[in-house]
Amino acid sequence: MSDVLECDCLIIGGGIAGTVAAKLLLEHGHKVVLVEESSSSKIRLAESLPASIEPLLARIGLFELLTSGPHVRHTGMVSSWGSPLMQTAPLAAAHHGWKVDKQFFIEQIRSTLPKQSTLLGRVKDVFRVAQGWQCSITCANVQNKQVIKARFVLDASGRQGYLPRVLNLQRHTFDKLSAFVTNMSLKAPIKNQPAVAVEAFRDGWTLVSKINDHECMLAIFCNQFTPDFGKLKQCENWHSIAKQTHWFRKVLPQEPFDIKTLNASSHIISQLHGDNWLIAGDAAMSFDPLSSHGMTTAIYMAEKSAQAIHKAFEGEQGALGNYSETMTQIYNSYLNELLGHYRREQRFTDSKFWQSKQQFSAPEVLKVVG
């Protein structure tokens, strides 16, 4: 027979958005259950946070965590974008801040939560019941499934999303972009290695981003218009692209390496809230890694979603709607900024990849999202 656990808010997804939201809702005095599915991915993503996020982190009690552990100061970005020369990125000042070990940061935050508030398992089903929701969880190393009854559901389950599928919500995808990603150890520090190096090539762009002084992440970003797109799953096919770059070719290993393919497209869900539910993080809207907005916005959304849910519990009508309106405005601004950045690269006007990234217009974007 299943156990039944009651709570104020069920949070699906233990990434950065879900974990921060759980922390803040607990501090508001609400009973929270955070469901985290264990990940089999061995790829570590090299995340960055701008210095401008420091007041937010201090406000929600996370800044001290950032100053401990493996996280280090970010010294800025260099790029060959719109020019074959490597130079300080046009918006480099915005990229000064922190290089963050994201998974370690999440674990730091989770260690501050009551153990009973986190479940390791997989959501099997979610459906409405009187005065809220009921969810069945298959927990790791537990024979019986866990049944949770919650007044409210916050979906922070990542790009695939859970509630959008349950509620049949439309996903507006504005482009297509895939990331072929690998991690590598630095046998010896490379002289003058920047924290982040971005390089455009004829049919996409590359990224070299330090994880720490001994590891870095390498990625190739492209789409279905990139010739031999599918062959980039094999590491031997990376070398022809590396020849078109300055920094990427310096760090690309000669020996075989593992590659993981990730969805890096931009999308937003047509509806971000409803009756006793709300969507946050990548489940709500996702960002092209070129923008460096992903982790920053996830933390901001976590704060705002926790505030909105708390206000809704307090009886404030319109709190959830205000959250959705704010997030949609942020996304509109992001799309216009992203479009401008891609259009600054004018060396490859005959490339179908670059044409696909530069073709949608700002009025169309605002009409779709607004």
Side-chain angles (χ1 to χ4, degrees):
M1 186 174 180
S2 302
D3 298 322
V4 178
L5 180 63
E6 296 186 358
C7 65
D8 296 314
C9 184
L10 168 67
I11 300 177
I12 303 174
I16 188 67
T19 303
V20 173
K23 174 185 183 296
L24 298 177
L25 284 168
L26 285 163
E27 290 173 355
H28 279 302
H30 303 297
K31 187 175 181 180
V32 173
V33 174
L34 173 68
V35 179
E36 164 64 349
E37 183 175 348
S38 60
S39 174
S40 59
S41 174
K42 296 181 180 180
I43 293 290
R44 299 174 66 198
L45 302 179
E47 301 281 356
S48 301
L49 290 175
S52 59
I53 200 176
E54 291 178 8
L56 166 58
L57 295 177
R59 184 168 67 242
I60 62 178
L62 296 181
F63 185 67
E64 288 188 3
L65 298 181
L66 193 63
T67 58
S68 62
H71 321 300
V72 296
R73 285 286 181 181
H74 188 337
T75 55
M77 177 191 295
V78 298
S79 70
S80 62
W81 196 273
S83 166
L85 301 176
M86 293 296 293
Q87 54 193 325
T88 302
L91 299 178
H95 295 286
H96 283 238
W98 298 87
K99 294 295 296 178
V100 181
D101 185 324
K102 184 177 179 180
Q103 190 55 44
F104 189 89
F105 192 46
I106 292 170
E107 291 168 1
Q108 284 179 296
I109 302 168
R110 194 175 297 160
S111 69
T112 68
L113 308 181
K115 289 186 178 181
Q116 64 271 24
S117 67
T118 301
L119 285 177
L120 183 63
R122 174 176 294 187
V123 176
K124 300 300 293 183
D125 57 70
V126 175
F127 54 91
R128 295 183 185 275
V129 293
Q131 299 180 333
W133 298 82
Q134 182 167 307
C135 176
S136 297
I137 309 292
T138 301
C139 298
N141 302 320
V142 177
Q143 186 174 5
N144 292 336
K145 66 180 180 180
Q146 175 72 65
V147 175
I148 300 173
K149 289 186 177 180
R151 295 169 58 190
F152 200 99
V153 172
L154 171 61
D155 184 359
S157 58
R159 279 180 175 265
Q160 295 303 311
Y162 194 88
L163 282 182
R165 287 176 282 138
V166 171
L167 300 174
N168 196 29
L169 302 178
Q170 185 176 357
R171 181 193 303 265
H172 297 300
T173 300
F174 296 94
D175 59 7
K176 290 185 178 181
L177 189 69
S178 293
F180 296 91
V181 183
T182 190
N183 294 149
M184 62 164 290
S185 298
L186 300 174
K187 296 178 181 178
I190 299 174
K191 186 178 180 180
N192 299 323
Q193 181 179 356
V196 179
V198 174
E199 298 175 86
F201 66 95
R202 173 160 294 280
D203 297 297
W205 57 278
T206 65
L207 172 67
V208 179
S209 188
K210 290 177 66 176
I211 298 173
N212 51 50
D213 288 337
H214 308 288
E215 299 174 278
C216 69
M217 181 191 81
L218 278 67
I220 297 174
F221 294 88
C222 52
N223 61 19
Q224 74 275 21
F225 298 110
T226 301
D228 297 326
F229 171 74
K231 293 183 179 180
L232 293 175
K233 295 178 182 178
Q234 287 81 45
C235 59
E236 60 268 20
N237 297 314
W238 284 34
H239 296 281
S240 61
I241 288 175
K243 292 177 182 178
Q244 304 176 55
T245 67
H246 172 77
W247 197 265
F248 190 81
R249 67 183 177 187
K250 284 187 177 182
V251 296
L252 184 65
Q254 294 300 313
E255 61 273 13
F257 50 86
D258 294 328
I259 297 170
K260 187 172 180 64
T261 306
L262 303 175
N263 181 357
S265 303
S266 302
H267 84 260
I268 187 170
I269 299 301
S270 60
Q271 188 177 346
L272 300 183
H273 80 280
D275 184 17
N276 294 324
W277 62 265
L278 186 148
I279 308 177
D282 282 349
M285 54 196 202
S286 62
F287 298 83
D288 187 316
L290 184 65
S291 70
S292 298
H293 285 339
M295 188 174 177
T296 302
T297 307
I299 294 172
Y300 179 77
M301 292 185 80
E303 181 193 36
K304 296 306 177 184
S305 64
Q307 290 175 351
I309 294 168
H310 174 66
K311 290 178 180 178
F313 284 161
E314 295 291 303
E316 182 176 325
Q317 294 185 359
L320 302 182
N322 291 338
Y323 163 88
S324 293
E325 182 178 356
T326 299
M327 296 309 143
T328 301
Q329 291 172 351
I330 288 173
Y331 206 74
N332 284 336
S333 297
Y334 150 75
L335 286 173
N336 283 279
E337 174 188 309
L338 182 69
L339 179 62
H341 198 56
Y342 273 108
R343 286 180 172 174
R344 280 194 286 274
E345 178 52 83
Q346 291 295 316
R347 288 178 292 162
F348 313 113
T349 56
D350 60 338
S351 165
K352 290 185 178 180
F353 169 83
W354 290 99
Q355 291 171 1
S356 73
K357 302 300 288 183
Q358 298 169 351
Q359 66 185 359
F360 62 86
S361 66
E364 291 173 346
V365 170
L366 293 171
K367 183 178 180 181
V368 171
V369 182

